[in-house]
């Protein structure tokens, strides 16, 4: 994966924070997952096996995917976040990140919805995680937006939601829209709640690096684990999948203002030439507004430049980004000031 320019003071990192290994229901070892991530070009990942520090499918009672993966991650320059996938008896799956090394995930996927003897009440467990400095992402929201995710968001513990999960495909109540299977309802909910959106692989088997990827772009001060968690916690995330970018309008406006440079030149006959320069590995579909009669939507390829001719000089130019979504149904529209 090629590099993005800085956005303001932030580095733009590529992340995948929902991955499984042989220590739960995955097919690769933790080290193999790190190598795979490196081949894909990820900057930061989390291995999130089910039931951290419980008996793994390999029979190892003391399995520790993070410790197994860390040496190779350090050698390859990948930021590794300690994680686990857990959840509640309402079938909500939760990705827990930045957990301490002695965290025990009790009753994984089956936290109880009420207190009682022998029960693990979800609110108690989430509060414990918050005190530990952990953050939580609501994974593939196939059971909707009920008590657990709403309480978690209201109490500042659930800080993000997967709008794209490569593993579930057309299942798990995903919706076929925008040319793919995803969670536009989750996007709407995340926007309403003011939390970040994520695109994850949820990798179990061996991935095909030539097929589509799910990437979470992070705006982080640097590549340290602390900076990565800060970006996640504060919602500086963009979901990048199937040649689309999804995020809230303010973040996407800031992002596009810095990653696409716009310049106007005036020819002798008064004609204006506007140059759009893409500084990123993503391709963008766009319409210059207002469109001239018969004008077709344009494509600004990765690291490419594009010329847009106008009959006279413009004080500004407005661009509708047709593959950037700031709600499930609305594209980002940016206005760029131009020098006369």
């Amino acid at each position: 994966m090629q590099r993005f320019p800085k956005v303001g003071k932030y580095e733009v990192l590529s992340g995948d924070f929902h991955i499984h290994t042989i220590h739960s229901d995955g097919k690769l070892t933790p080290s193999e997952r790190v190598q795979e991530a490196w081949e894909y070009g990820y900057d930061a990942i989390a291995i999130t096996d089910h039931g951290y520090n419980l008996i793994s499918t390999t029979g190892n009672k003391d399995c520790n995917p993070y410790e197994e993966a860390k040496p190779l991650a350090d050698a390859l320059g990948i930021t590794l976040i300690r994680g686990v996938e857990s959840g509640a008896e309402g079938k909500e799956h939760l990705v827990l990140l930045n957990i301490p090394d002695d965290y025990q995930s009790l009753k994984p996927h089956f936290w109880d919805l009420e207190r009682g003897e022998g029960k693990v009440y979800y609110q108690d467990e989430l509060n414990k995680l918050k005190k530990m400095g952990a953050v939580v992402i609501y994974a593939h929201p196939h059971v909707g937006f009920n008590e657990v995710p709403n309480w978690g968001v209201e109490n500042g513990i659930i800080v993000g939601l997967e709008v794209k999960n490569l593993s579930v495909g057309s299942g798990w109540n995903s919706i076929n829209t925008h040319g793919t299977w995803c969670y536009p309802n989750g996007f709407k909910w995340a926007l309403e709640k003011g939390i970040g959106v994520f695109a994850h692989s949820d990798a179990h088997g061996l991935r095909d690096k030539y097929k589509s990827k799910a990437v979470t772009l992070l705006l982080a001060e640097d590549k340290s684990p602390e900076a990565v968690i800060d970006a996640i916690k504060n919602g500086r995330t963009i979901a990048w999948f199937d040649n689309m970018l999804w995020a809230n309008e303010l973040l996407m406006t800031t992002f596009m203002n810095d990653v696409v440079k716009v310049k106007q030149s005036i020819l002798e006959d008064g004609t204006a030439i506007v140059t759009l320069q893409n500084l990123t590995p993503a391709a963008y579909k766009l319409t210059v507004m207002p469109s001239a009669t018969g004008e077709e939507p344009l494509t600004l390829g990765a690291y490419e430049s594009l010329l847009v001719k106008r009959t006279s000089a413009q004080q500004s130019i407005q661009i509708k980004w047709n593959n950037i979504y700031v709600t499930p149904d609305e594209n980002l529209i940016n206005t760029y000031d131009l020098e006369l």
Side-chain angles (χ1 to χ4, degrees):
M1 202 174 295
Q2 295 171 294
R3 308 306 304 170
F4 286 80
K6 291 186 73 170
V7 173
K9 67 178 182 178
Y10 296 116
E11 302 286 343
V12 180
L13 307 180
S14 299
D16 185 3
F17 304 103
H18 190 178
I19 302 173
H20 298 281
T21 77
I22 59 170
H23 291 308
S24 59
D25 52 355
K27 301 298 183 183
L28 300 184
T29 67
S31 293
E32 288 169 336
R33 282 293 181 216
V34 170
Q35 180 176 340
E36 180 185 67
W38 177 78
E39 292 172 351
Y40 269 55
Y42 287 105
D43 299 299
I45 65 169
I47 292 175
T48 55
D49 281 309
H50 306 280
Y52 188 81
N53 274 348
L54 299 181
I55 298 175
S56 73
T57 54
T58 62
N60 180 2
K61 295 183 180 180
D62 298 312
C63 66
N64 194 320
Y66 175 86
E67 297 298 339
E68 289 182 35
K70 190 71 164 58
L72 185 58
D74 288 347
L76 297 178
I78 293 176
T79 302
L80 183 65
I81 304 298
R82 197 185 297 270
V84 64
E85 185 175 1
S86 193
E89 64 180 1
K91 304 302 182 184
E92 297 88 355
H93 288 211
L94 304 174
V95 171
L96 320 180
L97 301 177
N98 201 40
I99 56 177
D101 58 5
D102 60 350
Y103 174 69
Q104 297 286 328
S105 180
L106 302 175
K107 296 183 70 174
H109 289 309
F110 292 102
W111 293 343
D112 298 290
L113 299 182
E114 58 184 17
R115 287 190 177 93
E117 186 177 353
K119 294 181 180 294
V120 179
Y121 185 40
Y122 81 91
Q123 292 187 14
D124 293 339
E125 196 71 7
L126 287 174
N127 275 325
K128 180 172 72 174
L129 286 160
K130 184 177 182 179
K131 291 178 181 178
M132 292 175 173
V135 294
V136 180
I137 298 168
Y138 187 15
H140 44 70
H142 61 290
V143 296
F145 311 98
N146 303 314
E147 176 184 350
V148 174
N150 279 295
W151 187 90
V153 169
E154 289 164 7
N155 287 274
I157 306 167
I158 294 178
V159 299
L161 174 140
E162 283 181 0
V163 295
K164 176 64 176 183
N165 179 297
L166 278 183
S167 180
V168 302
S170 60
W172 293 64
N173 289 331
S174 59
I175 296 171
N176 189 2
T177 183
H178 299 75
T180 189
W181 292 90
C182 54
Y183 292 100
N185 50 348
F187 187 23
K188 180 179 179 181
W189 183 80
L191 291 172
E192 291 171 352
K193 298 296 184 180
I195 62 175
V197 293
F198 293 76
H200 289 150
S201 69
D202 192 8
H204 289 72
L206 180 66
R207 297 172 64 184
D208 184 344
K209 65 181 179 181
Y210 298 106
K211 291 187 177 179
S212 63
K213 301 176 180 64
V215 179
T216 298
L217 298 178
L218 299 169
L219 274 61
E221 292 191 357
D222 53 54
K223 282 187 66 175
S224 67
E226 296 79 13
V228 168
I229 292 300
D230 180 73
I232 291 172
K233 184 176 181 180
N234 289 288
R236 297 194 303 273
T237 66
I238 298 169
W240 181 23
F241 61 98
D242 294 291
N243 197 31
M244 293 185 292
L245 281 77
W246 290 16
N248 71 73
E249 185 174 10
L250 178 59
L251 182 63
M252 282 306 327
T253 298
T254 301
F255 180 84
M256 293 305 293
N257 280 342
D258 280 2
V259 303
V260 174
K261 298 302 180 184
V262 181
K263 180 181 178 182
Q264 179 173 241
S265 301
I266 311 299
L267 304 184
E268 290 184 359
D269 63 359
T271 301
I273 301 294
V274 179
T275 305
L276 308 180
Q277 183 185 10
N278 180 6
L279 305 178
T280 80
Y284 305 106
K285 299 176 182 178
L286 63 112
T287 302
V288 178
M289 301 172 64
S291 299
T293 304
E295 229 173 27
E296 295 293 330
L298 304 171
T299 298
L300 180 58
Y303 301 111
E304 290 184 354
S305 294
L306 184 67
L307 299 180
V308 178
K309 183 179 288 189
R310 284 293 179 262
T311 56
S312 61
Q314 309 288 310
Q315 289 186 329
S316 63
I317 188 170
Q318 195 171 55
I319 297 176
K320 177 181 179 183
W321 300 101
N322 298 318
N323 61 335
I324 297 178
Y325 288 86
V326 294
T327 78
D329 305 309
E330 295 179 284
N331 296 113
L332 175 69
I333 298 176
N334 267 21
T335 299
Y336 295 88
D337 293 328
L338 301 173
E339 292 186 6
L340 293 176

